[in-house]
Amino acid sequence: MPDRIYFDHSATTPIDPRVAFAMTLPNGECYGNPSSLHSEGRQARDLINRARAQVAGLIGATPAEIVFTASGTEADNLALLGVFRFANGDRLGHMITSSIEHPAITETCRFLEQNGVQATYLPVDEHGVVDPDDLAKALRPDTRLVSIMAANNVVGTLQPIAELARIAKEHGALFHTDAVQSAGKVPLDVGQVPVDMVSMSAHKLHGPKGIGALYIRSGVHLQPLVFGGGQEHGLRSATENVAGIVGFGAAAQLAASDMTDEAVRLVQLRYRLLAGLQEVLPQAYLIGHPFKRLPGHLCLGFAGQEGESIRLLLSLDEAGVAVSSGSACSAHKASEPSYVLLAMGFDAIRARGTLRVTLGRFNTKVEVDRFLEILPQAVNSLRPVASYAGFTRS
Ligand code: PLP
């Protein structure tokens, strides 16, 4: 689609052409089953080994600590269910998570709760940050797992993962982080940060869809969700998605090699967009943490026009710009208030009024400037639906 502006990188990212190129081999001549002993099989196995090392390299892990899954969602499920699955009733115990996790975590928690696990959902402040003191207070003798996301998909806020993980570990609980939004954008070194498990997904870092990974620290034991031929250290049986894995490896390597420069570039674009926006649309306000956020992530509200975000999104789409009104995963619930914003203390009307603008590798200043021309027209064409006396920007 020529001339369109794609600003929805938290939903998914376009595949980098270098990743697509790397995938031509397993999609074509290198078609062997990696479990086969012949040359074709060994060739495919070599490709997987290389990709596993590339994904491990992104977070400072060893290749043996990476398990490929079908998605970030599956990685999250494996982390949580893998800890609690089939534990004896008296060993079920307790877990802690935050109130703003992705449904891949919250729905899994609900399932665990229905099956006897007790769960605590930590609150967040007005920027969407979990207070480490709240974690320290919520830990119990039977807390087996803490799962807090590294970066939030709706508002972009980064959590103090190093501190949260240290507190959980000191208490003897396992620590998992859903790093699906932050992997490849914000550094995470498992040699420095005492996390036990990390979920990642290739399609958020210019890789293919349908492939994720769970880092599992050596010595941590999980129960599998999928049984069969014993692939992926017995934790995820199934003939491997070789092309997806190779694409994930290539995407991880590209992200790792360019992470700092790309983060600086995206932060500059983000500031340009926000500064420009506040000049042309004084009613615009930023949601989430002012600077502890994903480099290319902006979550915006428009005072007095909350509740109109779907119309705004559609009008921008018509004008050639793809943005989101929140999380792509909840597009079918788009008119409902966001539970993330409600947890941050927004009232039900303001919690419906977000526009998520997320920038990525191929976005340019020219596109940002073009967006700054298009957006005011779209916003000003909406009728005011609510007014907020005494409203202050966050
Ligand atoms: N976790 C977070 C924070 C996400 O943003 C997403 C997707 O948006 C997921 C998990 C699910 O990842 P996947 O789309 O690979 O299943």
Side-chain angles (χ1 to χ4, degrees):
M1 281 186 267
D3 298 333
R4 281 189 60 88
I5 298 177
Y6 185 76
F7 279 174
D8 198 13
H9 290 81
S10 279
T12 195
T13 55
I15 295 193
D16 189 300
R18 293 165 291 182
V19 171
F21 180 72
M23 291 170 70
T24 51
L25 205 56
N27 268 331
E29 66 186 72
C30 194
Y31 52 80
N33 184 325
S35 296
S36 300
L37 292 179
H38 45 60
S39 304
E40 285 84 349
R42 291 202 308 274
Q43 234 182 343
R45 173 63 53 203
D46 287 348
L47 289 179
I48 290 184
N49 289 345
R50 180 157 185 267
R52 200 184 300 282
Q54 288 169 320
V55 172
L58 182 62
I59 56 168
T62 61
E65 293 173 311
I66 299 296
V67 168
F68 286 112
T69 61
S71 59
T73 299
E74 189 186 308
D76 284 342
N77 274 257
L78 177 58
L80 272 55
L81 299 177
V83 168
F84 287 102
R85 204 169 165 94
F86 299 120
N88 296 331
D90 58 339
R91 287 191 59 239
L92 279 175
H94 174 237
M95 73 164 287
I96 300 173
T97 187
S98 84
S99 46
I100 61 165
E101 299 291 313
H102 187 273
I105 294 291
T106 51
E107 292 302 311
T108 311
C109 283
R110 306 263 180 250
F111 174 79
L112 285 169
E113 284 184 287
Q114 284 157 14
N115 286 278
V117 174
Q118 293 182 336
T120 300
Y121 297 83
L122 296 178
V124 292
D125 69 12
E126 75 273 25
H127 298 312
V129 182
V130 172
D131 183 341
D133 286 342
D134 286 338
L135 172 59
K137 282 183 215 138
L139 283 158
R140 306 189 332 200
D142 63 343
T143 306
R144 297 176 61 195
L145 175 66
V146 176
S147 178
I148 312 266
M149 68 200 322
N152 182 266
N153 44 310
V154 178
V155 294
T157 299
L158 303 175
Q159 299 296 343
I161 287 302
E163 202 179 343
L164 295 167
R166 187 183 49 72
I167 292 169
K169 297 310 297 167
E170 278 171 8
H171 191 84
L174 292 170
F175 188 87
H176 164 254
T177 187
D178 174 342
V180 166
Q181 287 292 338
S182 66
K185 295 169 199 148
V186 178
L188 171 64
D189 181 351
V190 298
Q192 305 292 323
V193 180
V195 289
D196 293 298
M197 293 175 278
V198 179
S199 299
M200 297 175 273
S201 181
H203 76 99
K204 306 288 188 183
L205 48 129
H206 299 281
K209 294 171 184 58
I211 183 76
L214 182 66
Y215 157 78
I216 307 170
R217 187 176 289 280
S218 167
V220 171
H221 296 290
L222 300 182
Q223 294 291 323
L225 309 184
V226 181
F227 295 87
Q231 291 90 342
E232 297 299 303
H233 321 303
L235 276 173
R236 212 284 173 172
S237 289
T239 300
E240 296 88 338
N241 170 3
V242 184
I245 290 172
V246 167
F248 194 176
Q253 187 168 35
L254 286 170
S257 66
D258 209 21
M259 200 182 312
T260 312
D261 288 351
E262 180 62 356
V264 169
R265 192 185 76 84
L266 287 175
V267 168
Q268 283 169 350
L269 281 186
R270 184 183 97 207
Y271 277 117
R272 183 185 186 92
L273 200 158
L274 190 61
L277 194 61
Q278 288 176 336
E279 255 173 48
V280 290
L281 278 175
Q283 72 268 45
Y285 57 95
L286 180 68
I287 299 168
H289 200 281
F291 54 90
K292 289 181 194 162
R293 55 190 307 122
L294 288 166
H297 195 299
L298 281 167
C299 183
L300 302 167
F302 301 96
Q305 280 149 327
E306 291 90 350
E308 291 284 285
S309 61
I310 302 300
R311 278 199 343 135
L312 183 54
L313 183 155
L314 295 175
S315 139
L316 286 170
D317 185 43
E318 223 166 275
V321 186
V323 294
S324 163
S325 68
S327 160
C329 305
S330 61
H332 57 287
K333 299 182 195 160
S335 57
E336 289 176 19
S338 152
Y339 66 92
V340 174
L341 297 191
L342 291 176
M344 289 163 61
F346 284 57
D347 63 43
I349 293 179
R350 279 178 66 209
R352 283 195 304 159
T354 63
L355 195 71
R356 188 179 70 172
V357 180
T358 48
L359 313 174
R361 184 173 295 162
F362 305 112
N363 289 140
T364 62
K365 269 187 206 164
V366 173
E367 288 178 320
V368 166
D369 293 347
R370 177 88 192 102
F371 181 64
L372 287 171
E373 288 166 17
I374 295 171
L375 184 64
Q377 293 164 20
V379 171
N380 290 330
S381 68
L382 303 174
R383 73 199 146 88
V385 290
S387 68
Y388 290 92
F391 177 79
T392 50
R393 280 186 190 170
S394 57

